[in-house]
């Protein structure tokens, strides 16, 4: 999406790859074309912070940070329409930690913007970059709620405790601890508000330039949920030497929810 | 459990560690003392094979292999009684692949014996060795069934497909693919039959000796289940240069089931 | 580099990020701008194969496959000019397996083209995609030669044995075993021949389109070497369900070399 | 090494396994019998601390802590006498972080005692427990010095900078930064002083008991070195919720050295 990309290109070659490597079969492409189906278990913790701290993180065209946001710890299963990834689940499963910040769009509407996200599988990393989710590799852990009455099961009832953590390059960045209240919860963060991201690619033939950006939001097809379960939560952010998310140091947890959701993404639109 | 251990020992020191490192707080011990609570999601695939092939894998005192067994792919959450591991789930969660073989005990009774098991966390590895589960590190992937009607959710209903795999030192050893039938399933393998294991530790002061072994079985307290869901399944075993489980090459899948179970282990008894 | 990128863009925002996430500091960008310094230990094994098998892997504009290639197993250390990554080496070190195939360019010259490469760090993955190295995540292991006369050191002398392996999503793809001859070796593969790659990014706003590609080759600055050490080698390729490199099944190892090399990349040029 | 191990055992069975799993071939045993050959690159940083803080970490029979110690960051290659692990290096290579504390033995002599160590491979983990190295899994990174004059090579000369880190369960515990002085260095820590460890195994049939311990030191055969290279260093210890090594908080780096060493261990003796 750099202006240099308007220069002449390789003569057309009927490769079938959506992303590299570019082969005629397309079979090896890291990311297949959409639609992409995702289903997962999430712990969502909303937070407030000094809005001014987020200015370096959000392009003005995306909006003005309002001082609220959400971190989502997610344990996903994803597949393409034939579902074959579910038969070899190393291709389907990943965990990630997503940060979204609430913004006021230039037109006065509200949206979420994603300034940071970390995942543990390459497929999801590149699939995310294409959607404006600025993914890097990170290690997410997230307690699951199992349908059992047992001390290790964290069942969906008042008093069950859940934990979550994110580490980036061997350093903890986020830690959350939550206790289910037994009440219904809310669709926090990107689950309840349209979310936009920035896409851009540098061109190594002009290495002194920074990429120009396009703002996009996902085109979402099917969406199903199990209902959200409310929780009280604590959230700790530890600044990291190479992660700007540390600028939000001092954030304060607001409310939390946990549950399952299924989403299908068919592409993106301008935001 | 080597005879050399009957020689004089270190004067008693009131350390509180159940396993190394041995400190007075016991806080750093890799494994805390039981009880240990486990809850997880499992895919179980029973199989048959030429019984003679298992002779090198099973101590005669454990029993005579009968030519049947089960592989369990498990996605666990475990904790001690205070449940704190669930608040920092890197301490609680692990995945493993368990192989058990049916034997006729010397007294004519039936049992399962565990000749091989691979896990992805150190805590579980050493906790297993203490119980006679001969754990090594391996990478297990296992499709989860989520309570959603969505293409990536593999919900608990007829036709949902699940996959599982084990790799050891970067080589695939087991792969299974299953399709839920919508019918109730059975408690296969270690889930339905008492299971014994061999415990022994070499003494480096006598490095030419092999350890003498004790046969034990777990002392199980609480046990809860969600009911098993039947599946048809295929199972593939690929021989591995350093894994004797390859001796079972040619095994044939019989029946399969999936579901959640919670177990509490309070120690072990002679088997 | 898709034609859609010629449409209007986000108003300029003075972010400093070379890649996502796009922040004004640029500190969090997964990849900093070049120059990039690389130094590493490599085992290189050249091979021959039926040239026709590579047609699906190589864009005609890159050239016509000639039936020869090289696999490089590499253990790298990389940094930016201030060298700070060497003080926190999780940011600097990675291992990768590189495949290059010899092609005759449309102008009759010879070059290498990279159809596949797997690495174990996110920084290198995206940095590679920008250069036309179609990186995905994989697990590479590579014996190192240490300057010691010891059975575990594999010192640089005749008879020392080295091994290497690549696994992708828990399956072995390449395995090599080499024995040093004590003679000088050659700069094989990308080490001795200019190497080109294909760069392209899909645009999710037009998800039915495949990206148009640009062919580039790196602009290399400093380059230093320790001299190559010849080896005899075996090479085994195991087809993988999602990797087109399996099309080269039946390849035959030719010659091998090992040694250290340092390279500095300052950008890319059209190829 | 628990007293319970003096009770009757399983009738002898001619298994050949040094450690679990116990099969007649012994091929699958996680740890083969010694001798074990190790060769590696190490960064050693000695430190001082308030001696009283180490009392909970050191059995009195091992000695009285003197307030000095050393942390070693090591990048090893290990093999058995046939060297086959070097041909499949996932079996040979691992990284670890070793802490040793200087003690005055009851007889007045000086020794080192190992209260904590973290490694990234199962083979080394269990092999260490047998030697009284209380290994758990941890992630170690360590800059390597390559024989090149290049910005990413950290060659062995004055001014080259090296970094190292340890993370345990996704939390940084140790970080070191070193600058080579160009002068010869010293054999610090376990490299220059006999080192003892505590071995013990709980018996799950008596789960309320803590294991009695034996103190051992390795029987070392061959030992070769490349000479140590002196460095100045900083060392940071961050307390960790489950690691008693945090008791040494406030430690101060003294001197540092880096280099290669090869060692062969043939067993252990009482210490």
């Amino acid at each position: 999406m750099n202006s240099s990309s308007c220069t002449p290109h390789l003569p057309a070659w009927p490769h079938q790859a959506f992303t590299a490597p570019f082969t005629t079969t397309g079979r090896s492409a890291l990311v297949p074309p959409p639609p992409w189906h995702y289903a997962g278990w999430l712990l969502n913790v909303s937070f407030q912070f000094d809005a001014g701290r987020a200015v370096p993180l959000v392009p003005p065209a995306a909006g003005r940070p309002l001082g609220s946001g959400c971190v989502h710890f997610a344990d996903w299963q994803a597949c393409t329409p034939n579902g074959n990834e579910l038969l070899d689940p190393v291709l389907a499963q990943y965990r990630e930690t997503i940060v979204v910040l609430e913004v006021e769009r230039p037109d006065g509407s509200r949206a979420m913007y994603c300034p940071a996200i970390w995942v543990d599988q390459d497929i999801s990393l590149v699939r995310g970059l294409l959607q404006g989710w600025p993914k890097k590799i990170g290690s997410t852990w997230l307690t699951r709620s199992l349908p059992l009455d047992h001390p290790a099961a964290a069942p969906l009832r008042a008093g069950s405790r859940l934990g979550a953590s994110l580490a980036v390059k061997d350093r903890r960045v986020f830690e959350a601890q939550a206790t289910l209240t037994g009440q219904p919860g809310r669709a926090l963060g990107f689950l309840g508000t349209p979310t936009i991201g920035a896409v851009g690619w540098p061109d190594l033939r002009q290495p002194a330039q920074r990429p120009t950006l396009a703002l996009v939001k996902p085109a979402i097809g099917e969406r199903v949920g199990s209902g959200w379960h409310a929780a009280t939560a604590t959230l700790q952010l530890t600044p990291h030497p190479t992660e700007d998310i540390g600028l939000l140091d001092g954030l304060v947890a607001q409310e939390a929810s946990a549950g399952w959701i299924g989403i299908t993404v068919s592409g993106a639109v301008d935001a």
Side-chain angles (χ1 to χ4, degrees), chain A:
Chain A
M1 299 188 175
N2 191 294
S3 59
S4 70
S5 58
C6 299
T7 58
H9 283 293
L10 190 60
W13 177 53
H15 72 82
Q16 293 302 316
F18 195 62
T19 62
F22 301 103
T23 68
T24 56
T25 74
R27 184 179 62 151
S28 297
L30 183 54
V31 180
W36 304 318
H37 301 292
Y38 308 79
W41 161 254
L42 284 85
L43 173 63
N44 320 298
V45 184
S46 70
F47 57 82
Q48 290 194 332
F49 63 95
D50 174 359
R53 287 173 168 265
V55 170
L57 304 179
V58 181
R64 182 175 61 86
L66 295 173
S68 57
C70 188
V71 58
H72 304 272
F73 302 94
D75 197 346
W76 292 111
Q77 213 158 250
C79 65
T80 47
N82 67 25
N84 284 345
E85 294 85 352
L86 300 180
L87 293 176
D88 195 4
V90 66
L91 301 175
Q93 295 179 340
Y94 59 99
R95 292 193 294 242
E96 67 186 358
T97 299
I98 307 165
V99 179
V100 292
L101 303 180
E102 194 176 16
V103 294
E104 184 184 70
R105 299 299 316 268
D107 66 3
S109 66
R110 297 289 172 96
M112 292 288 179
Y113 175 80
C114 178
I117 178 171
W118 300 266
V119 71
D120 59 11
Q121 283 270 25
D122 54 355
I123 297 168
S124 176
L125 187 150
V126 171
R127 194 169 54 197
L129 293 175
L130 298 173
Q131 297 180 76
W133 300 97
K135 295 193 184 187
K136 304 202 285 188
I137 294 288
S139 170
T140 295
W141 290 89
L142 171 56
T143 305
R144 284 190 288 266
S145 188
L146 309 182
L148 297 169
D149 182 7
H150 186 270
L156 280 177
R157 66 176 181 219
S160 283
R161 297 182 301 164
L162 310 172
S165 63
L166 167 72
V168 179
K169 300 298 176 204
D170 277 2
R171 287 181 167 96
R172 286 272 173 113
V173 175
F174 280 106
E175 293 177 273
Q177 300 189 341
T179 303
L180 296 177
T181 65
Q183 300 301 311
R186 293 205 304 144
L188 302 172
F190 85 90
L191 300 163
T193 305
T195 300
I196 60 182
V199 179
W201 309 101
D203 184 331
L204 270 189
R205 296 169 296 187
Q206 299 173 319
Q209 293 187 10
R210 294 298 175 272
T212 52
L213 306 179
L215 292 180
V216 300
K217 59 183 174 184
I220 295 181
E222 297 170 68
R223 179 174 170 146
V224 298
S226 64
W228 296 104
H229 302 263
T232 58
T234 61
L235 178 65
Q236 183 177 345
L237 166 60
T238 304
H240 182 285
T242 64
E243 296 294 338
D244 276 331
I245 203 67
L247 292 170
L248 304 188
D249 195 17
L251 56 76
V252 178
Q254 298 296 307
E255 63 178 298
S257 64
W260 291 272
I261 191 171
I263 302 174
T264 296
V265 170
S266 59
V269 297
D270 284 303

